[in-house]
Amino acid sequence: MKFNFPMAYTTTMLSWATIEYGKRMGPQIKEARAAIRWATDYLLKCATSTPGRLYVGVGDPNVDHKCWERPEDMDTVRTVYWVSPSNPGSDVAAETAAALAAASIVFRRVDPTYSNKLLRTAQQVYHFALQYQGSYSDSLGSAVCPFYCSYSGFKVNPFSTTSAFSQNCVVWLACSIKRKIRI
């Protein structure tokens, strides 16, 4: 089972930790970058494989969470889930964009080409999140709920308190993009 929402969040956190504490990581900085690249390579594929779609999960969570086999032995259907203009998922899209933007900062000096690709894709996914607003748990139902439900919905309104989590994703992303451009 792959849930892109927690993967994107984890990638964002690891990226920001590397940005803030990278100089203290010593030789482990290479391992941190490798882990970030592994995740962002996957998120890039999810964001760029099909125009108008952001792939956000693989597998049936209701079946997969009951399975205790090794992945190599599983024979369950590997259903693929996505958000699109007709099935929005601003929350997962914004978190994906935040992960890509934060990772672009991590790679800006060591791999500028990759860093620019991450930033360009982050900006595209960010615009997708803003243009097609809605909660991915509303769009995908039991494919993500009760595992990663968005109870507050999604509306980009800085004066609203009804969608704090989703707004945090957008603010986090905006800070990453601003820092990337400023530095």
Side-chain angles (χ1 to χ4, degrees), residues 119-149:
L119 182 61
R120 278 192 315 273
T121 306
Q123 290 170 323
Q124 291 167 357
V125 176
Y126 173 66
H127 291 297
F128 178 88
L130 293 178
Q131 186 172 2
Y132 306 108
Q133 293 186 26
S135 166
Y136 100 129
S137 60
D138 288 344
S139 294
L140 298 177
S142 66
V144 296
C145 252
F147 308 100
Y148 296 99
C149 302

Side-chain angles (χ1 to χ4, degrees), residues 12-101:
T12 305
M13 291 297 293
L14 182 57
S15 294
W16 277 107
T18 303
I19 293 162
E20 295 297 321
Y21 302 106
K23 291 178 181 173
R24 297 181 192 168
M25 290 181 167
Q28 291 302 311
I29 189 78
K30 291 179 183 177
E31 299 299 325
R33 286 187 193 124
I36 294 166
R37 186 181 292 264
W38 178 85
T40 53
D41 282 349
Y42 171 74
L43 294 173
L44 281 169
K45 289 177 189 174
C46 291
T48 61
S49 293
T50 306
R53 282 188 182 176
L54 172 64
Y55 293 96
V56 297
V58 179
D60 182 333
N62 297 294
V63 173
D64 288 1
H65 277 88
K66 295 175 187 170
C67 179
W68 288 93
E69 294 178 303
R70 298 179 319 148
E72 298 84 0
D73 296 335
M74 293 176 69
D75 58 2
T76 57
V77 176
R78 309 312 304 154
T79 306
V80 178
Y81 299 96
W82 63 87
V83 294
S84 65
S86 60
N87 289 324
S90 298
D91 38 13
V92 69
E95 189 61 55
T96 300
L100 296 171

Side-chain angles (χ1 to χ4, degrees), residues 105-167:
I105 300 169
V106 171
F107 291 103
R108 75 173 187 266
R109 289 193 179 112
V110 295
D111 192 342
T113 302
Y114 188 65
S115 174
N116 289 331
K117 182 178 184 177
L118 291 168
L119 182 61
R120 278 192 315 273
T121 306
Q123 290 170 323
Q124 291 167 357
V125 176
Y126 173 66
H127 291 297
F128 178 88
L130 293 178
Q131 186 172 2
Y132 306 108
Q133 293 186 26
S135 166
Y136 100 129
S137 60
D138 288 344
S139 294
L140 298 177
S142 66
V144 296
C145 252
F147 308 100
Y148 296 99
C149 302
S150 179
Y151 296 105
S152 60
F154 184 91
K155 291 182 182 176
V156 179
N157 177 352
F159 305 107
S160 170
T161 58
T162 61
S163 56
F165 178 74
S166 297
Q167 287 182 44

